[in-house]
Amino acid sequence: MENISKRIKNLPIGIFDSGIGGLTVAKSIFNLLPNEKVIYLGDTARLPYGTKSKETVILYSIECLKFLLKKKVKLIVVACNTASSVAVPFLKKITKIPILGVIAPGAKAAVQKTKNKKIGVIGTVRTIKSMSYIKEIRKISTDVKIYSQPCSLFVQLAEDGWTDNKIAILTAETYLNTLKKEKIDTLILGCTHYPVLKKTIAKVMGKNVILIDSGEETAKEVKSLLEKQNLLTNRKTKGTHKFYVTDFPSNFKDISERFLGKKIRKVEKIKLQ
Amino acid sequence: MENISKRIKNLPIGIFDSGIGGLTVAKSIFNLLPNEKVIYLGDTARLPYGTKSKETVILYSIECLKFLLKKKVKLIVVACNTASSVAVPFLKKITKIPILGVIAPGAKAAVQKTKNKKIGVIGTVRTIKSMSYIKEIRKISTDVKIYSQPCSLFVQLAEDGWTDNKIAILTAETYLNTLKKEKIDTLILGCTHYPVLKKTIAKVMGKNVILIDSGEETAKEVKSLLEKQNLLTNRKTKGTHKFYVTDFPSNFKDISERFLGKKIRKVEKIKLQ
């Protein structure tokens, strides 16, 4: 028993996303749990998930899950808002390994941090329409007010590195105007691309608004869950990070560096069924 | 023989694209050839092609082609710049039916229309990097100067309907500044999404710059090719338009209406292998 637990402790954490956005989540996990091994899968051949039907997203997520299960991971993070909102319940039926999405941790943190009980949520059109953050917040609090706003242009701005120029600021002002008027004090960045634009969003919202980075909150949740289950690695050295993609998108290197905050030295291209 | 030719004349034109951008090309074909039947296939489940590897784009394009061939079309338009630039030679090996991409017609028109022999090309990062317009222009002219500029944000602006607000104008000014300085007199809109932003692009470039809409040029090429091969329909009434997609993206109805200039009444979801 002792040996089995020891063996599991040192297995990697698995992360998957439709593409590269999840790298901001991976970055938070690398920072908080540097000694953990991590396997990242970006289903770049089929990105984005956000425009696809629910059935398709579930199917693709199951394929990503199966790939990570074959790699023998101890915990799986669904680092994609779309997949988190529609596929997690289905994934949990397939395996007993803990599965964490990015929505619940972000929702929980926002409820804990708001003082005036006015929370804003920004995300892609699909995430906002799915009301997944609202549903998750409502599970833990019925007395906060929630204001949401799709910010579809933010993804392209983040990928192009237009993160703090005039256009980024004007776009942020246009999207965030209503949330400012509603005097929210907490804002959930409900898309894995948005942390790249955090400075501009913070500038536009003002210093009294707390930004909730779903990636950071998810990393905290991963740590807490591994602690509870006595599954944190006992490795004393830095864990290795492996990256798999299903295709190489144009600008992959530049974008991934911007999202991860470091160079990815080796990426392997694989096929999902 | 007479009968076979008559039967072929009245077969539909097939159009495929990775998604909805090709609807601007379809719109031009509907306008120029109202009595032709048209079958449109948008591979929305796998959009965008622009981020995918060459091999993947070729594979997907072949699948789209095969679908249209089964529907018995008389001519196929590849209404996608990425697929046009990498897949057309492969598609031509599969069938003897005429296949037209959107790049050659745009390139040809630009060379014909420029007076000062300075042509600009705008498109997605992938299209610009592929140098497909430059290669096509060079086939017909070696003495024009070509200046190209990727405008990746334009796609999202078009899809969101932010086509003439401050952000659209500022974005266009930022991207087009270099081309203006080079004093180009002709600008190829090298992405099927860009005609939606035509007014803003025209405003920024000024009235002395001719905009080449690849969709319109492709429609003219379709007409000329059908005329030459005696394959124009002899139908005296409006042709029917059928739409197939591989998935329903969010906002599909709104976006398709904006791109096509009319409502799509019926869309069928199909599976490609």
Side-chain angles (χ1 to χ4, degrees):
Chain A
M1 193 63 187
E2 181 69 11
N3 278 343
I4 293 173
S5 163
K6 200 177 160 187
R7 200 169 55 80
I8 297 177
K9 269 175 194 283
N10 291 322
L11 291 178
I13 294 167
I15 306 177
F16 80 83
D17 176 34
S18 58
I20 43 164
L23 290 172
T24 63
V25 182
K27 184 184 172 186
S28 298
I29 293 174
F30 296 170
N31 288 342
L32 196 66
L33 301 164
N35 296 349
E36 295 290 345
K37 276 189 194 171
V38 175
I39 292 178
Y40 183 93
L41 167 63
D43 189 9
T44 44
R46 306 189 292 196
L47 67 82
Y49 282 7
T51 54
K52 294 180 175 66
S53 67
K54 195 176 162 179
E55 295 69 30
T56 304
V57 173
I58 293 169
L59 182 74
Y60 289 180
S61 300
I62 291 173
E63 289 173 7
C64 291
L65 176 85
K66 285 186 176 169
F67 173 83
L68 290 174
L69 290 178
K70 271 190 199 156
K71 294 282 170 193
K72 303 229 177 297
V73 294
K74 62 180 173 185
L75 178 146
I76 287 172
V77 176
V78 183
C80 165
N81 279 278
T82 304
S84 293
S85 79
V86 304
V88 168
F90 293 88
L91 302 182
K92 284 187 173 169
K93 282 182 195 164
I94 295 174
T95 176
K96 282 178 182 167
I97 287 176
I99 296 175
L100 278 175
V102 286
I103 292 168
K108 196 174 124 188
V111 171
Q112 282 168 352
K113 287 184 182 166
T114 182
K115 281 175 187 162
N116 72 2
K117 304 203 177 226
K118 289 183 173 186
I119 296 172
V121 183
I122 55 174
T124 61
V125 173
R126 174 61 175 273
T127 298
I128 297 305
K129 270 197 181 169
S130 74
M131 302 210 296
S132 44
Y133 277 95
I134 298 183
K135 288 177 200 158
E136 208 57 46
I137 292 171
R138 284 285 168 256
K139 282 186 197 167
I140 40 179
S141 169
T142 51
D143 73 339
V144 296
K145 283 195 176 167
I146 311 162
Y147 304 88
S148 45
Q149 172 66 44
C151 303
S152 39
L153 223 61
F154 278 2
V155 167
Q156 193 65 53
L157 289 170
E159 293 195 358
D160 285 4
W162 280 17
T163 54
D164 51 8
N165 66 4
K166 252 199 215 172
I167 292 166
I169 293 167
L170 192 58
T171 304
E173 281 171 351
T174 307
Y175 284 138
L176 303 174
N177 190 28
T178 321
L179 301 178
K180 282 184 80 172
K181 277 191 186 156
E182 297 295 352
K183 300 200 188 313
I184 59 157
D185 72 350
T186 308
L187 178 61
I188 300 175
L189 309 183
C191 170
T192 54
H193 276 63
Y194 295 1
V196 180
L197 290 157
K198 211 192 254 178
K199 271 190 196 164
T200 293
I201 297 170
K203 208 174 180 180
V204 170
M205 291 308 295
K207 58 176 189 230
N208 293 325
V209 175
I210 298 168
L211 302 190
I212 304 289
D213 178 331
S214 296
E216 281 175 13
E217 301 305 327
T218 304
K220 289 180 204 165
E221 201 71 21
V222 168
K223 190 180 175 190
S224 142
L225 206 147
L226 291 178
E227 267 169 357
K228 264 187 219 158
Q229 303 202 3
N230 197 23
L231 285 178
L232 279 171
T233 182
N234 48 22
R235 203 177 293 114
K236 298 291 174 232
T237 52
K238 278 208 167 182
T240 53
H241 303 153
K242 278 197 179 173
F243 299 90
Y244 297 90
V245 292
T246 49
D247 203 353
F248 286 107
S250 61
N251 295 343
F252 179 77
K253 279 201 169 174
D254 293 344
I255 300 177
S256 58
E257 214 177 309
R258 192 174 313 125
F259 279 50
L260 198 62
K262 69 166 192 173
K263 267 189 193 162
I264 295 184
R265 268 192 250 154
K266 219 180 137 187
V267 188
E268 199 175 313
K269 185 176 159 185
I270 54 115
K271 253 195 175 178
L272 298 174
Q273 25 261 37
Chain B
M1 192 62 189
E2 182 68 11
N3 277 343
I4 292 173
S5 162
K6 200 177 161 188
R7 198 169 57 80
I8 296 176
K9 270 175 195 278
N10 290 323
L11 291 178
I13 294 166
I15 306 177
F16 79 85
D17 176 34
S18 58
I20 43 165
L23 290 173
T24 62
V25 182
K27 184 184 172 185
S28 298
I29 293 173
F30 296 170
N31 288 342
L32 196 66
L33 301 164
N35 296 349
E36 295 289 344
K37 277 190 194 172
V38 175
I39 292 179
Y40 183 93
L41 167 63
D43 189 9
T44 44
R46 305 190 291 197
L47 68 83
Y49 283 5
T51 55
K52 294 182 174 65
S53 66
K54 196 176 163 179
E55 295 70 29
T56 305
V57 173
I58 293 169
L59 181 74
Y60 289 180
S61 300
I62 291 173
E63 289 173 6
C64 291
L65 176 84
K66 285 185 176 169
F67 173 84
L68 290 174
L69 290 178
K70 270 189 200 156
K71 294 282 171 193
K72 304 229 175 297
V73 293
K74 62 181 173 185
L75 177 147
I76 287 172
V77 177
V78 184
C80 165
N81 279 278
T82 305
S84 293
S85 80
V86 303
V88 168
F90 293 88
L91 302 182
K92 285 187 173 170
K93 280 181 196 163
I94 296 174
T95 176
K96 283 179 182 165
I97 287 177
I99 295 176
L100 278 177
V102 285
I103 292 169
K108 195 174 124 190
V111 171
Q112 283 168 351
K113 288 185 183 165
T114 183
K115 281 176 185 161
N116 72 1
K117 303 201 177 228
K118 289 184 174 187
I119 297 173
V121 183
I122 54 174
T124 60
V125 173
R126 173 63 174 273
T127 298
I128 297 305
K129 271 197 180 167
S130 75
M131 301 210 296
S132 44
Y133 277 95
I134 298 183
K135 286 176 200 159
E136 207 58 45
I137 292 171
R138 284 286 167 255
K139 282 186 199 167
I140 41 179
S141 169
T142 51
D143 73 340
V144 295
K145 283 195 176 169
I146 310 162
Y147 305 88
S148 45
Q149 172 66 45
C151 305
S152 39
L153 224 61
F154 278 2
V155 167
Q156 193 64 53
L157 288 171
E159 292 196 359
D160 285 5
W162 281 16
T163 53
D164 52 6
N165 67 3
K166 252 197 212 172
I167 292 166
I169 293 166
L170 193 58
T171 304
E173 282 170 352
T174 307
Y175 284 138
L176 304 174
N177 190 27
T178 321
L179 301 179
K180 281 183 79 171
K181 277 189 187 157
E182 296 294 353
K183 300 200 190 310
I184 59 158
D185 73 349
T186 307
L187 177 62
I188 300 175
L189 310 183
C191 169
T192 53
H193 276 63
Y194 296 0
V196 180
L197 290 155
K198 209 191 255 177
K199 270 190 197 165
T200 293
I201 296 170
K203 208 173 177 180
V204 170
M205 291 309 295
K207 59 177 188 223
N208 293 326
V209 175
I210 297 169
L211 302 189
I212 305 289
D213 178 331
S214 296
E216 280 175 13
E217 301 305 328
T218 304
K220 287 180 205 164
E221 201 73 20
V222 168
K223 190 180 174 190
S224 140
L225 206 147
L226 291 178
E227 268 169 357
K228 264 186 219 157
Q229 304 202 2
N230 197 24
L231 284 178
L232 279 171
T233 181
N234 48 24
R235 203 176 292 115
K236 298 291 174 233
T237 52
K238 277 205 168 187
T240 53
H241 304 153
K242 278 196 180 176
F243 299 90
Y244 297 90
V245 291
T246 50
D247 203 354
F248 286 106
S250 61
N251 295 343
F252 179 76
K253 279 200 169 175
D254 293 344
I255 300 176
S256 58
E257 214 176 309
R258 193 175 312 127
F259 279 51
L260 197 62
K262 67 166 192 174
K263 268 190 192 158
I264 296 185
R265 270 192 248 153
K266 221 181 135 186
V267 188
E268 199 174 315
K269 186 175 157 183
I270 54 113
K271 253 194 174 177
L272 298 175
Q273 24 261 37

